[in-house]
Amino acid sequence: MTTGTDTMHSISRRGFLVGTMATALLSAGRAAPASAAAPTLASVPADGPLVRAAISRLLGRNVDGLIGLRQLTPQAGEADAFEVREFEGRPIFAGTSAVATLSAFHWWLKYVAGQHLSTNGDRIVLPATLPTPAATIRQSTELTERYAYNFTVFGYTTPFWGWSEWEREIDLLAASGTNRALTLIGQEMVWYDTFQDFGMTELQVRQWISQPAMQPWQWYGETTGYDDEASSFSGPVSLALLEKRAELGLRIIQRMRELGITPVFPAFAGHVPDQVFADLHPDTHIPAQGVYAGHPRPYWLDTTEALYPEVAQRFYQAQTDRFGTTTHYSNDLFHEVDTDELPAVLDGADLGEAAKAVQDELEKAVPGAIWLMQGWQDNPQLDVLNAVDENRVVVLDLDSDDSRKWADTEAYWGVPWCWGTIQNFGGRLGMFGNLTEPGRTFPEVRTSSQRKRLVGSAMALEGTHQNPVVADLLSEMTWRRTAVDLEPWILAYARRRYGADDPHAAAAWRILLRTAYSFAATGHTEKEGPFETPFAAWPTLNLTSACNFGPDDWRYDPAEFAPVLGELLAVAPALRSLPTYRYDLVDVTRQVLANRGRLLVDQLREAYEARDRAGVSRQSQRFLRALDLSSEILATDRGWLLGPWLEQAKSWGSDDEERGILEWHARSILTIWTSKTLGANGLHEYANRDWHGLLGGYYRPRWQKFLDALPGTISSGNEPSLEDEWDRFGLAWTAQTEAHTTQPVGDPYTVASRIAAELAGDPV
């Protein structure tokens, strides 16, 4: 662990005392607060101009004079409700809250106007006079808490977003019924403001703060900006970057408040700047917390110590000065710490007393605040829930649609809780989703006597903006009291997404429902997420998953999936220019090629074991051809390009040096994660992506090297062992700065048609 002096040496090794960092060091004292008096969340009118403005943004047209908005009174048993009505030839959207009114608009858009919004393409084609419902539609929910975001979304999806992405995202959240949303952007400035009051220098604090995409794990208490060796996420973060992120964070929070979404702030669970902080307070119990994925965790200020209330109150005051207060705060004491590891982590502290102290200081700072805890792995423990005021706690059961932890804990022993879903891990791509559990099981849980104090839902995907059909159904289930029949529902989804009742589109989505979207709960026994693309895996003939946490076996029969491509290509010509169709066509083509790659690895292994040199050569070329075709189809849609991710990251830099650091950081989290997680037990490839730029520039060279070496080992029967080579290659690639395109090339339909014809002539 680095000390304050060691930290300075680390900075020098990275050259950070030049340019951006030198400029930041010239700033005397603190940065000025982003907002001296940020507003608290107040009641937002359900029929106000801010709601109307959001509808206009989502439709891409001014709706003044075209719609009406009304305030609605909830009925008995309703936490929130909306109605869609007709009045004088106009659609009227009425809600008991701003979120409910926007949900009324979204319901109308789908089920009256037949249009479609998503994170991956919209289809909005409306007449001058907007359609109205034949009769009043009323939907309601008993769920008071409709929560969005895993902490990791801020690392795998949103770390480099600007306001344009966030404005659209917040509008979609509200229209999807979300009324609580985690907000981490800019919250690291609270650390900056807080720890300087406890003996740390401005530079020491900035060194502790990770680069943006790794900050979720720092809030979790799993990583730290201090690092024995330079890594892509280690500090110091520049003051300019801190200030820009705090400014964006405040803007996000203000817009959420305007639309009636409660921003969820991180709570202070005692994570402090490591040995530097401990050395400054030698008489206080501040134990080290071990390691996470090869990296030291932050130190923990024992929350039962006398110093903790002082630091906690300074933290909450700094947070209030910057962003105001809210009603919901989230953080866990010991995230992903196994029960048998807890005694060493606590180092003599009492778990229940530690939890009570966290809640007490939150209550002191923000009376009546709700502490959101995450139900994940061994957390929260019964000792924690027994020690706190359960009426000011809500447990987010992150994985209700698979592991069903709520059922194993008697609905968290009677504490208020939310039924949640992760579905996606690491932002990994692949057509995959669990529609069965939210569409059928969740309504059953809501009426079961075993639910006890079920109060909400939690959409806790680790990475978002893929498989939009999943988010579409999840958002609806807030307002549905009964299970849905999935086949009619998904056919209606396809009709809205493409704007026609096309028989080939319907056939394609029937297949997708039976295959990619057929997953149901396994008790978390079949690992996480989709059966990953083979192209992203470390090359081997005995291929299972690309990352160490992906499934080892097929989620479905690839032969049953394969006809989807032909069906999508056969849709009516009028549909082929739609952005929704083009995105889906790329996704399906990519998935067909990934599945083909898996089958070709099997054939390659068979040829190798048979010592068939000609067969090894042929299957190697077929495999590389499938990879190249994948790269070609991905190039046709901006949503599948590496370039925008890298350019967004660099856009946050204040000079060339900082832009270089941020690019290194953005490359690393998708590939090596960090240098200390490489190897068989690491997190490398955890966030792998089927992106143009990654396939050709990162994944292909590894496979080419492996396949070139393969014939030379046929006689021994021992495939090339190149793991160390992949380590070195990964480190070298993340340090590169070559530009990647940000604009698509080619027409998806033309390219996909040619690929389909080629595959038909060369079946696996």
Side-chain angles (χ1 to χ4, degrees):
M1 181 59 60
T2 56
T3 64
T5 303
D6 293 332
T7 299
M8 291 298 294
H9 291 322
S10 174
I11 299 167
S12 295
R13 284 198 301 271
R14 294 180 60 195
F16 253 85
L17 294 182
V18 182
T20 303
M21 296 302 103
T23 301
L25 285 170
L26 294 175
S27 301
R30 304 281 181 76
S35 172
T40 57
L41 183 66
S43 178
V44 179
D47 56 352
L50 298 174
V51 173
R52 186 183 299 273
I55 293 172
S56 294
R57 288 191 297 269
L58 288 169
L59 287 182
R61 63 190 286 190
N62 190 316
V63 296
D64 287 350
L66 299 177
I67 65 169
L69 303 179
R70 300 288 187 272
Q71 185 78 39
L72 191 65
T73 300
Q75 298 175 2
E78 295 180 339
D80 226 354
F82 67 74
E83 289 185 355
V84 181
R85 315 169 187 160
E86 182 273 338
F87 181 72
E88 295 183 348
R90 295 183 300 161
I92 305 298
F93 311 131
T96 55
S97 68
V99 164
T101 301
L102 282 163
S103 296
F105 152 74
H106 196 192
W107 199 276
W108 164 85
L109 189 72
K110 294 167 72 169
Y111 289 107
V112 177
Q115 310 296 300
H116 180 74
L117 294 170
S118 83
T119 55
N120 304 94
D122 297 346
R123 193 193 66 80
I124 305 292
V125 184
L126 287 167
T129 300
L130 300 181
T132 58
T136 296
I137 299 168
R138 185 182 181 97
Q139 300 290 140
S140 67
T141 182
E142 81 286 10
L143 304 175
T144 59
E145 314 293 316
R146 285 104 62 191
Y147 173 88
Y149 295 143
N150 197 300
F151 274 60
T152 61
V153 163
F154 295 87
Y156 291 136
T157 302
T158 71
F160 310 119
W161 280 6
W163 175 242
S164 62
E165 291 88 0
W166 273 111
E167 181 173 52
R168 160 74 178 193
E169 180 79 357
I170 296 165
D171 288 345
L172 276 178
L173 285 177
S176 299
T178 299
N179 66 349
R180 317 276 188 244
L182 183 66
T183 55
L184 290 187
I185 301 297
Q187 291 284 332
E188 67 273 21
M189 186 59 100
V190 178
W191 288 328
Y192 182 80
D193 291 344
T194 298
F195 292 123
Q196 290 178 67
D197 282 352
F198 295 90
M200 297 186 67
T201 68
E202 182 275 343
L203 177 59
Q204 286 174 328
V205 179
R206 285 193 294 106
Q207 170 70 12
W208 184 67
I209 300 173
S210 302
Q211 298 293 340
M214 201 57 69
Q215 286 176 14
W217 292 270
Q218 190 164 7
W219 285 110
Y220 273 151
E222 292 178 328
T223 58
T224 164
Y226 291 152
D227 204 74
D228 291 333
E229 298 175 1
S231 71
S232 65
F233 69 79
S234 58
V237 177
S238 76
L239 182 56
L241 182 57
L242 290 173
E243 290 174 334
K244 285 189 286 187
R245 282 174 56 84
E247 181 181 356
L248 176 62
L250 179 60
R251 196 172 184 184
I252 291 167
I253 289 164
Q254 289 173 332
R255 177 56 59 81
M256 285 183 177
R257 288 175 171 137
E258 289 173 358
L259 297 184
I261 299 173
T262 300
V264 177
F265 291 174
F268 182 62
H271 307 130
V272 295
D274 306 7
Q275 189 69 54
V276 179
F277 191 89
D279 286 346
L280 289 166
H281 306 280
D283 297 327
T284 300
H285 186 219
I286 307 175
Q289 295 294 286
V291 296
Y292 174 80
H295 289 273
R297 291 175 179 262
Y299 281 32
W300 178 63
L301 169 57
D302 182 343
T303 59
T304 64
E305 287 281 296
L307 181 62
Y308 173 74
E310 186 179 351
V311 179
Q313 290 310 306
R314 179 67 189 101
F315 175 94
Y316 290 121
Q317 185 58 56
Q319 194 174 61
T320 300
D321 290 344
R322 292 275 178 184
F323 306 109
T325 59
T326 188
T327 57
H328 290 61
Y329 293 76
S330 180
N331 214 335
D332 297 324
L333 272 170
F334 304 108
H335 184 72
E336 293 186 338
V337 174
D338 295 337
T339 303
D340 57 359
E341 296 175 326
L342 259 181
V345 169
L346 286 163
D347 192 35
D350 181 85
L351 180 61
E353 291 179 1
K356 184 177 184 303
V358 171
Q359 188 181 62
D360 286 349
E361 293 310 314
L362 176 58
E363 174 69 15
K364 186 186 301 180
V366 189
I370 301 297
W371 182 5
L372 298 181
M373 299 179 181
Q374 296 181 115
W376 177 246
Q377 295 185 0
D378 292 337
N379 283 339
Q381 304 241 351
L382 180 57
D383 287 349
V384 168
L385 298 180
N386 281 340
V388 298
D389 179 352
E390 65 180 47
N391 294 312
R392 292 187 291 111
V393 165
V394 173
V395 176
L396 308 174
D397 188 47
L398 299 187
D399 203 23
S400 303
D401 61 341
D402 195 359
S403 67
R404 298 178 177 175
K405 183 176 173 66
W406 73 271
D408 297 333
T409 57
E410 300 176 29
Y412 290 99
W413 304 285
V415 169
W417 67 284
C418 292
W419 189 99
T421 177
I422 294 183
Q423 303 244 351
N424 180 276
F425 293 81
R428 299 195 294 272
L429 301 172
M431 300 196 81
F432 170 77
N434 183 343
L435 302 181
T436 300
E437 302 297 333
R440 296 179 182 174
T441 308
F442 184 34
E444 295 173 3
V445 174
R446 287 163 72 170
T447 58
S448 167
S449 61
Q450 296 179 329
R451 75 186 187 281
K452 295 187 177 177
R453 297 179 70 182
L454 174 66
V455 295
S457 59
M459 194 166 176
L461 283 65
E462 283 196 355
T464 59
H465 286 232
Q466 76 283 309
N467 292 296
V469 66
V470 173
D472 198 291
L473 179 62
L474 289 175
S475 70
E476 276 195 21
M477 296 316 297
T478 290
W479 306 105
R480 289 187 179 274
R481 302 286 185 120
T482 58
V484 297
D485 188 338
L486 290 176
E487 182 169 316
W489 184 90
I490 210 164
L491 294 180
Y493 169 87
R495 186 163 54 250
R496 295 191 300 270
R497 189 159 170 85
Y498 304 147
D501 212 353
D502 186 277
H504 293 288
W509 279 95
R510 284 191 181 96
I511 296 170
L512 289 171
L513 180 62
R514 294 196 306 268
T515 56
Y517 299 113
S518 65
F519 183 76
T522 67
H524 216 71
T525 59
E526 297 183 6
K527 294 192 175 179
E528 304 166 344
F531 193 41
E532 298 162 287
T533 173
F535 307 131
W538 279 10
T540 177
L541 295 178
N542 299 295
L543 189 61
T544 52
S545 59
C547 78
N548 289 309
F549 301 88
D552 295 335
D553 300 306
W554 290 96
R555 293 296 202 193
Y556 52 81
D557 181 353
E560 188 174 2
F561 182 92
V564 175
L565 178 55
E567 294 290 356
L568 273 188
L569 288 171
V571 302
L575 278 58
R576 297 172 188 171
S577 62
L578 293 169
T580 47
Y581 170 79
R582 290 162 70 92
Y583 178 90
D584 292 347
L585 181 61
V586 171
D587 201 1
V588 163
T589 308
R590 176 210 56 75
Q591 189 64 61
V592 165
L593 289 164
N595 292 351
R596 178 181 176 86
R598 285 275 182 179
L599 298 172
L600 290 172
V601 169
D602 292 341
Q603 295 187 6
L604 177 61
R605 184 182 64 256
E606 292 171 2
Y608 182 82
E609 291 173 348
R611 290 178 166 76
D612 177 4
R613 290 183 177 274
V616 166
S617 177
R618 179 171 182 269
Q619 302 305 339
S620 295
Q621 292 307 310
R622 295 176 81 202
F623 179 84
L624 290 175
R625 178 60 177 164
L627 189 156
D628 291 340
L629 291 174
S630 295
S631 188
E632 190 174 350
I633 189 64
L634 295 173
T636 65
D637 189 289
R638 193 175 188 275
W640 300 93
L641 304 180
L642 171 64
W645 172 266
L646 298 181
E647 294 305 314
Q648 279 187 322
K650 290 189 287 186
S651 72
W652 283 91
S654 296
D655 59 23
D656 287 343
E657 185 174 30
E658 188 171 35
R659 283 187 283 273
I661 289 294
L662 290 170
E663 179 175 2
W664 179 27
H665 179 50
R667 286 169 174 259
S668 296
I669 195 169
L670 300 181
T671 54
I672 65 173
W673 213 74
T674 77
S675 60
K676 291 186 179 181
T677 63
L678 295 167
N681 295 316
L683 290 169
H684 69 88
E685 321 308 336
Y686 185 81
N688 67 76
R689 299 285 197 275
D690 293 48
W691 277 354
H692 178 271
L694 273 175
L695 257 72
Y698 187 65
Y699 303 139
R700 194 186 198 283
R702 296 192 307 200
W703 276 103
Q704 182 73 67
K705 188 175 185 68
F706 175 80
L707 295 173
D708 286 347
L710 197 59
T713 65
I714 286 179
S715 58
S716 70
N718 298 317
E719 68 174 63
S721 179
L722 299 172
E723 285 81 3
D724 290 344
E725 177 70 19
W726 311 146
D727 276 351
R728 290 191 295 270
F729 179 74
L731 290 169
W733 186 85
T734 59
Q736 292 176 7
T737 58
E738 81 283 0
H740 287 269
T741 183
T742 60
Q743 297 302 319
V745 176
D747 172 64
Y749 187 83
T750 301
V751 174
S753 297
R754 177 166 46 77
I755 289 172
E758 180 174 330
L759 299 187
D762 183 25
V764 178

